[in-house]
Amino acid sequence: MKSEELEKNSNLRVLKEIAELLNEGTEISPLLSGVLQKLLQVTGVTTGWIFLISPDGRHTVASANHLPPALAKNGCEPLRKGGCWCIEGFRNGSLTKASNIIECRRIEKAIKQNEGGTDGITHHATIPLQSGEEVFGLLNVAAPGKKQFSRDELALLESVALQIGSAIKRIRLTKKEQEVALIEERNRLARDLHDSVNQLLFSLTLTARGGAEMTSDEVTKNTFRNIQGLAQEALTEMRALIWQLRPSGLEKGLIQAIKGYGEMLGLNVSTKLSGVLALPSLVEEALWRISQEALNNSKRHSGQEHVHIFIKVMPCEVLLIISDDGCGFLYEKDRTLPTFGIESMRERVEALGGTFRLNSDPGKGTTIYVAMPY
């Protein structure tokens, strides 16, 4: 009886320590690393890894701790690539509670191919990370020589996994709220710019035009015309800035927003769409921002007014191609991207798990390729 009480108290202590750690987390990646490390410290298992699995079934290794050489090689390549029963069970909905994995395909493959030692690990437990009806991925733990986890051990791991799932949901909801607040603030700033600076620049344009018409002195007339030209240019830049601040331009759809922005810059934008354009808001806004930056670059540097945009929507991925037939530039993919704007496009794409590619040569124009999962 005393030993059962000790075990119960130990489990409560584990849950308390992990709950405290999870409550402090504000970013998913460091949170998962910290909680996995804590879990290994307080439970006695020696190895653990966490898969996050997207709605389309793609998995990433979100965290790993004390992996044996066979699984840790080449940046956890044996875990990152290929399939296994736990991933397949998660995808088809058959893995709904903590389970013992009798035969781990990844470990067996590593042993068979002699890809390094497994430190005595032959089996592992796998536990879904979930919160209510939402599922996020899998927690896997193992220990040398341990072929099976007891019912109590699985119950404890299941409780920890539920805590992790709740923390992931909390962080994602918080991020969503922050994004909504950011959009609202951008809209407010855009309104303020439109109502104040934009109107002042428009008034300055009209005043300079009137001044040029009222004077007969050619020097004064040219001065007013220069002021009018600068004010008109500043007005165009301000309108472009307002468009960039306000994703509300997407109300009529991504294609119309891109065409409208190009026309506002004085560009002739030809568009082609393949597939049904129904994308998550984050992906749609990312494509919108990337298109804006590409059109800005084309306006400033290409020397051409024609830009071609192709969007292809596939079941789990959207492809965006933006090209012009302008002057181009010398670009080597192994070097740093030549402008902050292009670098920001690449970072925006990679932040959402996509790929960014740029092709350009002097006299041969520039083409940007973006592939974005959703």
mmCIF file of all heavy atoms in Angstrom, residues 312-351:
data_model
loop_
_atom_site.group_PDB
_atom_site.id
_atom_site.type_symbol
_atom_site.label_atom_id
_atom_site.label_comp_id
_atom_site.label_asym_id
_atom_site.label_seq_id
_atom_site.Cartn_x
_atom_site.Cartn_y
_atom_site.Cartn_z
ATOM 1 N N LYS A 312 -0.940 28.138 -59.156
ATOM 2 C CA LYS A 312 -1.488 26.786 -59.330
ATOM 3 C C LYS A 312 -1.797 26.203 -57.950
ATOM 4 O O LYS A 312 -0.905 26.092 -57.103
ATOM 5 C CB LYS A 312 -0.499 25.885 -60.070
ATOM 6 C CG LYS A 312 -1.046 24.481 -60.328
ATOM 7 C CD LYS A 312 -0.076 23.635 -61.133
ATOM 8 C CE LYS A 312 -0.653 22.258 -61.443
ATOM 9 N NZ LYS A 312 0.290 21.418 -62.219
ATOM 10 N N VAL A 313 -3.052 25.851 -57.724
ATOM 11 C CA VAL A 313 -3.480 25.307 -56.435
ATOM 12 C C VAL A 313 -3.628 23.796 -56.563
ATOM 13 O O VAL A 313 -4.415 23.312 -57.373
ATOM 14 C CB VAL A 313 -4.804 25.941 -55.976
ATOM 15 C CG1 VAL A 313 -5.177 25.422 -54.592
ATOM 16 C CG2 VAL A 313 -4.700 27.466 -55.969
ATOM 17 N N MET A 314 -2.846 23.071 -55.758
ATOM 18 C CA MET A 314 -2.892 21.609 -55.732
ATOM 19 C C MET A 314 -3.473 21.152 -54.402
ATOM 20 O O MET A 314 -3.702 21.973 -53.510
ATOM 21 C CB MET A 314 -1.484 21.066 -55.971
ATOM 22 C CG MET A 314 -0.960 21.401 -57.371
ATOM 23 S SD MET A 314 0.816 21.087 -57.580
ATOM 24 C CE MET A 314 1.510 22.554 -56.819
ATOM 25 N N PRO A 315 -3.724 19.850 -54.210
ATOM 26 C CA PRO A 315 -4.402 19.392 -52.988
ATOM 27 C C PRO A 315 -3.743 19.832 -51.687
ATOM 28 O O PRO A 315 -4.435 20.160 -50.732
ATOM 29 C CB PRO A 315 -4.381 17.864 -53.136
ATOM 30 C CG PRO A 315 -4.380 17.641 -54.611
ATOM 31 C CD PRO A 315 -3.578 18.759 -55.197
ATOM 32 N N CYS A 316 -2.414 19.848 -51.627
ATOM 33 C CA CYS A 316 -1.736 20.192 -50.371
ATOM 34 C C CYS A 316 -0.698 21.291 -50.545
ATOM 35 O O CYS A 316 0.065 21.567 -49.622
ATOM 36 C CB CYS A 316 -1.049 18.961 -49.776
ATOM 37 S SG CYS A 316 -2.197 17.650 -49.335
ATOM 38 N N GLU A 317 -0.650 21.898 -51.710
ATOM 39 C CA GLU A 317 0.406 22.881 -51.980
ATOM 40 C C GLU A 317 -0.084 23.888 -53.012
ATOM 41 O O GLU A 317 -0.892 23.565 -53.884
ATOM 42 C CB GLU A 317 1.652 22.157 -52.503
ATOM 43 C CG GLU A 317 2.877 23.031 -52.645
ATOM 44 C CD GLU A 317 4.095 22.226 -53.095
ATOM 45 O OE1 GLU A 317 4.035 21.624 -54.187
ATOM 46 O OE2 GLU A 317 5.091 22.192 -52.356
ATOM 47 N N VAL A 318 0.389 25.125 -52.891
ATOM 48 C CA VAL A 318 0.084 26.152 -53.878
ATOM 49 C C VAL A 318 1.399 26.680 -54.448
ATOM 50 O O VAL A 318 2.371 26.874 -53.723
ATOM 51 C CB VAL A 318 -0.754 27.300 -53.262
ATOM 52 C CG1 VAL A 318 -0.037 27.934 -52.075
ATOM 53 C CG2 VAL A 318 -1.074 28.349 -54.317
ATOM 54 N N LEU A 319 1.419 26.855 -55.771
ATOM 55 C CA LEU A 319 2.614 27.321 -56.479
ATOM 56 C C LEU A 319 2.348 28.723 -57.010
ATOM 57 O O LEU A 319 1.330 28.976 -57.650
ATOM 58 C CB LEU A 319 2.941 26.370 -57.631
ATOM 59 C CG LEU A 319 4.120 26.749 -58.544
ATOM 60 C CD1 LEU A 319 5.425 26.676 -57.776
ATOM 61 C CD2 LEU A 319 4.168 25.825 -59.756
ATOM 62 N N LEU A 320 3.274 29.633 -56.731
ATOM 63 C CA LEU A 320 3.200 31.011 -57.215
ATOM 64 C C LEU A 320 4.442 31.301 -58.048
ATOM 65 O O LEU A 320 5.565 31.101 -57.577
ATOM 66 C CB LEU A 320 3.115 31.991 -56.039
ATOM 67 C CG LEU A 320 3.293 33.480 -56.363
ATOM 68 C CD1 LEU A 320 2.100 34.001 -57.172
ATOM 69 C CD2 LEU A 320 3.457 34.302 -55.079
ATOM 70 N N ILE A 321 4.247 31.739 -59.289
ATOM 71 C CA ILE A 321 5.361 32.097 -60.174
ATOM 72 C C ILE A 321 5.158 33.537 -60.637
ATOM 73 O O ILE A 321 4.107 33.872 -61.193
ATOM 74 C CB ILE A 321 5.455 31.158 -61.393
ATOM 75 C CG1 ILE A 321 5.616 29.703 -60.943
ATOM 76 C CG2 ILE A 321 6.622 31.573 -62.294
ATOM 77 C CD1 ILE A 321 5.583 28.708 -62.093
ATOM 78 N N ILE A 322 6.136 34.386 -60.405
ATOM 79 C CA ILE A 322 6.084 35.791 -60.805
ATOM 80 C C ILE A 322 7.289 36.071 -61.697
ATOM 81 O O ILE A 322 8.422 35.810 -61.298
ATOM 82 C CB ILE A 322 6.126 36.714 -59.575
ATOM 83 C CG1 ILE A 322 5.017 36.345 -58.596
ATOM 84 C CG2 ILE A 322 6.018 38.180 -59.988
ATOM 85 C CD1 ILE A 322 5.097 37.074 -57.270
ATOM 86 N N SER A 323 7.043 36.568 -62.898
ATOM 87 C CA SER A 323 8.155 36.776 -63.831
ATOM 88 C C SER A 323 7.978 38.077 -64.602
ATOM 89 O O SER A 323 6.863 38.556 -64.812
ATOM 90 C CB SER A 323 8.261 35.602 -64.813
ATOM 91 O OG SER A 323 7.090 35.504 -65.596
ATOM 92 N N ASP A 324 9.102 38.641 -65.016
ATOM 93 C CA ASP A 324 9.092 39.785 -65.926
ATOM 94 C C ASP A 324 10.199 39.589 -66.953
ATOM 95 O O ASP A 324 11.078 38.742 -66.782
ATOM 96 C CB ASP A 324 9.278 41.112 -65.167
ATOM 97 C CG ASP A 324 10.625 41.226 -64.465
ATOM 98 O OD1 ASP A 324 11.675 41.036 -65.122
ATOM 99 O OD2 ASP A 324 10.650 41.510 -63.247
ATOM 100 N N ASP A 325 10.136 40.339 -68.027
ATOM 101 C CA ASP A 325 11.120 40.241 -69.104
ATOM 102 C C ASP A 325 12.069 41.433 -69.078
ATOM 103 O O ASP A 325 12.549 41.895 -70.113
ATOM 104 C CB ASP A 325 10.406 40.178 -70.466
ATOM 105 C CG ASP A 325 9.485 38.977 -70.562
ATOM 106 O OD1 ASP A 325 9.875 37.904 -70.072
ATOM 107 O OD2 ASP A 325 8.368 39.118 -71.094
ATOM 108 N N GLY A 326 12.336 41.934 -67.868
ATOM 109 C CA GLY A 326 13.160 43.129 -67.716
ATOM 110 C C GLY A 326 14.648 42.877 -67.836
ATOM 111 O O GLY A 326 15.090 41.866 -68.386
ATOM 112 N N CYS A 327 15.406 43.805 -67.257
ATOM 113 C CA CYS A 327 16.863 43.776 -67.432
ATOM 114 C C CYS A 327 17.534 42.649 -66.664
ATOM 115 O O CYS A 327 18.639 42.227 -66.998
ATOM 116 C CB CYS A 327 17.456 45.120 -67.008
ATOM 117 S SG CYS A 327 17.119 45.557 -65.296
ATOM 118 N N GLY A 328 16.866 42.135 -65.613
ATOM 119 C CA GLY A 328 17.457 41.058 -64.837
ATOM 120 C C GLY A 328 18.707 41.498 -64.092
ATOM 121 O O GLY A 328 19.104 42.666 -64.117
ATOM 122 N N PHE A 329 19.372 40.537 -63.445
ATOM 123 C CA PHE A 329 20.629 40.833 -62.748
ATOM 124 C C PHE A 329 21.384 39.536 -62.546
ATOM 125 O O PHE A 329 20.838 38.435 -62.706
ATOM 126 C CB PHE A 329 20.372 41.530 -61.408
ATOM 127 C CG PHE A 329 19.497 40.751 -60.457
ATOM 128 C CD1 PHE A 329 20.038 39.890 -59.523
ATOM 129 C CD2 PHE A 329 18.107 40.889 -60.516
ATOM 130 C CE1 PHE A 329 19.223 39.184 -58.656
ATOM 131 C CE2 PHE A 329 17.283 40.187 -59.650
ATOM 132 C CZ PHE A 329 17.848 39.329 -58.712
ATOM 133 N N LEU A 330 22.656 39.665 -62.205
ATOM 134 C CA LEU A 330 23.488 38.482 -61.993
ATOM 135 C C LEU A 330 23.183 37.912 -60.611
ATOM 136 O O LEU A 330 23.404 38.560 -59.588
ATOM 137 C CB LEU A 330 24.975 38.856 -62.087
ATOM 138 C CG LEU A 330 25.967 37.682 -61.969
ATOM 139 C CD1 LEU A 330 25.734 36.666 -63.078
ATOM 140 C CD2 LEU A 330 27.395 38.196 -61.997
ATOM 141 N N TYR A 331 22.660 36.720 -60.599
ATOM 142 C CA TYR A 331 22.263 36.104 -59.328
ATOM 143 C C TYR A 331 22.872 34.720 -59.214
ATOM 144 O O TYR A 331 22.733 33.883 -60.100
ATOM 145 C CB TYR A 331 20.736 36.004 -59.242
ATOM 146 C CG TYR A 331 20.257 35.143 -58.099
ATOM 147 C CD1 TYR A 331 20.517 35.515 -56.785
ATOM 148 C CD2 TYR A 331 19.555 33.968 -58.330
ATOM 149 C CE1 TYR A 331 20.085 34.734 -55.734
ATOM 150 C CE2 TYR A 331 19.113 33.179 -57.277
ATOM 151 C CZ TYR A 331 19.383 33.569 -55.983
ATOM 152 O OH TYR A 331 18.951 32.785 -54.935
ATOM 153 N N GLU A 332 23.575 34.476 -58.117
ATOM 154 C CA GLU A 332 24.143 33.164 -57.827
ATOM 155 C C GLU A 332 23.485 32.647 -56.565
ATOM 156 O O GLU A 332 23.534 33.283 -55.515
ATOM 157 C CB GLU A 332 25.666 33.279 -57.637
ATOM 158 C CG GLU A 332 26.390 33.753 -58.898
ATOM 159 C CD GLU A 332 27.887 33.897 -58.668
ATOM 160 O OE1 GLU A 332 28.396 33.276 -57.711
ATOM 161 O OE2 GLU A 332 28.528 34.619 -59.435
ATOM 162 N N LYS A 333 22.871 31.475 -56.660
ATOM 163 C CA LYS A 333 22.025 30.979 -55.569
ATOM 164 C C LYS A 333 22.786 30.702 -54.283
ATOM 165 O O LYS A 333 22.211 30.662 -53.197
ATOM 166 C CB LYS A 333 21.276 29.715 -56.012
ATOM 167 C CG LYS A 333 22.188 28.518 -56.271
ATOM 168 C CD LYS A 333 21.351 27.313 -56.665
ATOM 169 C CE LYS A 333 22.230 26.087 -56.915
ATOM 170 N NZ LYS A 333 21.429 24.911 -57.264
ATOM 171 N N ASP A 334 24.117 30.477 -54.381
ATOM 172 C CA ASP A 334 24.890 30.187 -53.184
ATOM 173 C C ASP A 334 25.279 31.448 -52.416
ATOM 174 O O ASP A 334 25.834 31.375 -51.324
ATOM 175 C CB ASP A 334 26.155 29.401 -53.533
ATOM 176 C CG ASP A 334 25.823 28.026 -54.098
ATOM 177 O OD1 ASP A 334 24.787 27.467 -53.679
ATOM 178 O OD2 ASP A 334 26.573 27.529 -54.953
ATOM 179 N N ARG A 335 25.028 32.620 -53.010
ATOM 180 C CA ARG A 335 25.357 33.864 -52.343
ATOM 181 C C ARG A 335 24.132 34.460 -51.664
ATOM 182 O O ARG A 335 23.000 34.077 -51.940
ATOM 183 C CB ARG A 335 25.926 34.874 -53.351
ATOM 184 C CG ARG A 335 27.270 34.436 -53.916
ATOM 185 C CD ARG A 335 27.887 35.565 -54.724
ATOM 186 N NE ARG A 335 29.194 35.186 -55.229
ATOM 187 C CZ ARG A 335 29.975 35.996 -55.948
ATOM 188 N NH1 ARG A 335 29.550 37.229 -56.233
ATOM 189 N NH2 ARG A 335 31.150 35.599 -56.366
ATOM 190 N N THR A 336 24.400 35.428 -50.788
ATOM 191 C CA THR A 336 23.300 36.094 -50.098
ATOM 192 C C THR A 336 22.404 36.797 -51.104
ATOM 193 O O THR A 336 22.886 37.372 -52.072
ATOM 194 C CB THR A 336 23.859 37.125 -49.094
ATOM 195 O OG1 THR A 336 24.745 36.448 -48.194
ATOM 196 C CG2 THR A 336 22.727 37.767 -48.301
ATOM 197 N N LEU A 337 21.113 36.751 -50.858
ATOM 198 C CA LEU A 337 20.167 37.407 -51.763
ATOM 199 C C LEU A 337 20.453 38.905 -51.833
ATOM 200 O O LEU A 337 20.784 39.531 -50.828
ATOM 201 C CB LEU A 337 18.738 37.153 -51.303
ATOM 202 C CG LEU A 337 18.284 35.694 -51.459
ATOM 203 C CD1 LEU A 337 16.939 35.477 -50.824
ATOM 204 C CD2 LEU A 337 18.242 35.292 -52.911
ATOM 205 N N PRO A 338 20.326 39.510 -53.021
ATOM 206 C CA PRO A 338 20.856 40.836 -53.250
ATOM 207 C C PRO A 338 20.139 41.991 -52.571
ATOM 208 O O PRO A 338 20.699 43.049 -52.420
ATOM 209 C CB PRO A 338 20.769 40.985 -54.781
ATOM 210 C CG PRO A 338 19.691 40.050 -55.187
ATOM 211 C CD PRO A 338 19.761 38.909 -54.231
ATOM 212 N N THR A 339 18.884 41.844 -52.181
ATOM 213 C CA THR A 339 18.190 42.944 -51.537
ATOM 214 C C THR A 339 17.443 42.436 -50.317
ATOM 215 O O THR A 339 17.103 41.263 -50.208
ATOM 216 C CB THR A 339 17.172 43.609 -52.488
ATOM 217 O OG1 THR A 339 16.066 42.714 -52.665
ATOM 218 C CG2 THR A 339 17.791 43.958 -53.825
ATOM 219 N N PHE A 340 17.183 43.360 -49.405
ATOM 220 C CA PHE A 340 16.426 43.018 -48.205
ATOM 221 C C PHE A 340 15.036 42.523 -48.571
ATOM 222 O O PHE A 340 14.502 41.619 -47.947
ATOM 223 C CB PHE A 340 16.336 44.250 -47.304
ATOM 224 C CG PHE A 340 15.477 44.038 -46.098
ATOM 225 C CD1 PHE A 340 15.946 43.318 -45.015
ATOM 226 C CD2 PHE A 340 14.177 44.542 -46.057
ATOM 227 C CE1 PHE A 340 15.142 43.106 -43.900
ATOM 228 C CE2 PHE A 340 13.374 44.341 -44.949
ATOM 229 C CZ PHE A 340 13.869 43.624 -43.875
ATOM 230 N N GLY A 341 14.435 43.123 -49.625
ATOM 231 C CA GLY A 341 13.097 42.724 -50.044
ATOM 232 C C GLY A 341 13.035 41.273 -50.467
ATOM 233 O O GLY A 341 12.132 40.534 -50.081
ATOM 234 N N ILE A 342 14.010 40.846 -51.269
ATOM 235 C CA ILE A 342 14.042 39.456 -51.716
ATOM 236 C C ILE A 342 14.311 38.521 -50.537
ATOM 237 O O ILE A 342 13.706 37.453 -50.417
ATOM 238 C CB ILE A 342 15.099 39.261 -52.828
ATOM 239 C CG1 ILE A 342 14.732 40.119 -54.046
ATOM 240 C CG2 ILE A 342 15.211 37.797 -53.217
ATOM 241 C CD1 ILE A 342 15.741 40.059 -55.166
ATOM 242 N N GLU A 343 15.206 38.936 -49.650
ATOM 243 C CA GLU A 343 15.496 38.122 -48.477
ATOM 244 C C GLU A 343 14.264 37.982 -47.594
ATOM 245 O O GLU A 343 13.981 36.901 -47.068
ATOM 246 C CB GLU A 343 16.639 38.762 -47.676
ATOM 247 C CG GLU A 343 17.052 37.990 -46.437
ATOM 248 C CD GLU A 343 17.671 36.650 -46.738
ATOM 249 O OE1 GLU A 343 18.207 36.474 -47.862
ATOM 250 O OE2 GLU A 343 17.609 35.759 -45.878
ATOM 251 N N SER A 344 13.494 39.057 -47.447
ATOM 252 C CA SER A 344 12.279 38.985 -46.623
ATOM 253 C C SER A 344 11.244 38.060 -47.257
ATOM 254 O O SER A 344 10.503 37.372 -46.552
ATOM 255 C CB SER A 344 11.691 40.388 -46.421
ATOM 256 O OG SER A 344 11.173 40.902 -47.623
ATOM 257 N N MET A 345 11.180 38.032 -48.605
ATOM 258 C CA MET A 345 10.274 37.098 -49.279
ATOM 259 C C MET A 345 10.658 35.657 -48.951
ATOM 260 O O MET A 345 9.810 34.829 -48.617
ATOM 261 C CB MET A 345 10.307 37.324 -50.794
ATOM 262 C CG MET A 345 9.537 38.532 -51.260
ATOM 263 S SD MET A 345 9.307 38.557 -53.061
ATOM 264 C CE MET A 345 10.899 39.168 -53.592
ATOM 265 N N ARG A 346 11.945 35.377 -49.055
ATOM 266 C CA ARG A 346 12.416 34.017 -48.773
ATOM 267 C C ARG A 346 12.104 33.625 -47.326
ATOM 268 O O ARG A 346 11.606 32.521 -47.053
ATOM 269 C CB ARG A 346 13.923 33.926 -49.029
ATOM 270 C CG ARG A 346 14.490 32.520 -48.786
ATOM 271 C CD ARG A 346 16.004 32.500 -48.869
ATOM 272 N NE ARG A 346 16.592 33.309 -47.814
ATOM 273 C CZ ARG A 346 16.705 32.893 -46.542
ATOM 274 N NH1 ARG A 346 16.266 31.704 -46.188
ATOM 275 N NH2 ARG A 346 17.249 33.675 -45.637
ATOM 276 N N GLU A 347 12.361 34.539 -46.380
ATOM 277 C CA GLU A 347 12.107 34.240 -44.970
ATOM 278 C C GLU A 347 10.617 34.023 -44.715
ATOM 279 O O GLU A 347 10.239 33.147 -43.934
ATOM 280 C CB GLU A 347 12.631 35.391 -44.106
ATOM 281 C CG GLU A 347 14.153 35.465 -44.065
ATOM 282 C CD GLU A 347 14.649 36.678 -43.296
ATOM 283 O OE1 GLU A 347 13.802 37.501 -42.887
ATOM 284 O OE2 GLU A 347 15.873 36.808 -43.108
ATOM 285 N N ARG A 348 9.778 34.814 -45.370
ATOM 286 C CA ARG A 348 8.329 34.667 -45.197
ATOM 287 C C ARG A 348 7.869 33.291 -45.678
ATOM 288 O O ARG A 348 7.038 32.634 -45.052
ATOM 289 C CB ARG A 348 7.596 35.772 -45.951
ATOM 290 C CG ARG A 348 6.110 35.831 -45.662
ATOM 291 C CD ARG A 348 5.433 36.882 -46.518
ATOM 292 N NE ARG A 348 5.823 38.227 -46.159
ATOM 293 C CZ ARG A 348 5.246 38.942 -45.195
ATOM 294 N NH1 ARG A 348 4.251 38.422 -44.507
ATOM 295 N NH2 ARG A 348 5.654 40.173 -44.945
ATOM 296 N N VAL A 349 8.408 32.859 -46.824
ATOM 297 C CA VAL A 349 8.036 31.551 -47.383
ATOM 298 C C VAL A 349 8.505 30.428 -46.468
ATOM 299 O O VAL A 349 7.740 29.513 -46.133
ATOM 300 C CB VAL A 349 8.645 31.390 -48.791
ATOM 301 C CG1 VAL A 349 8.442 29.958 -49.293
ATOM 302 C CG2 VAL A 349 8.021 32.362 -49.768
ATOM 303 N N GLU A 350 9.767 30.483 -46.043
ATOM 304 C CA GLU A 350 10.328 29.395 -45.242
ATOM 305 C C GLU A 350 9.702 29.341 -43.855
ATOM 306 O O GLU A 350 9.638 28.272 -43.247
ATOM 307 C CB GLU A 350 11.846 29.553 -45.156
ATOM 308 C CG GLU A 350 12.534 29.329 -46.507
ATOM 309 C CD GLU A 350 14.045 29.451 -46.443
ATOM 310 O OE1 GLU A 350 14.560 29.832 -45.358
ATOM 311 O OE2 GLU A 350 14.703 29.170 -47.465
ATOM 312 N N ALA A 351 9.228 30.478 -43.346
ATOM 313 C CA ALA A 351 8.570 30.489 -42.039
ATOM 314 C C ALA A 351 7.296 29.655 -42.049
ATOM 315 O O ALA A 351 6.872 29.141 -41.011
ATOM 316 C CB ALA A 351 8.261 31.925 -41.618
#
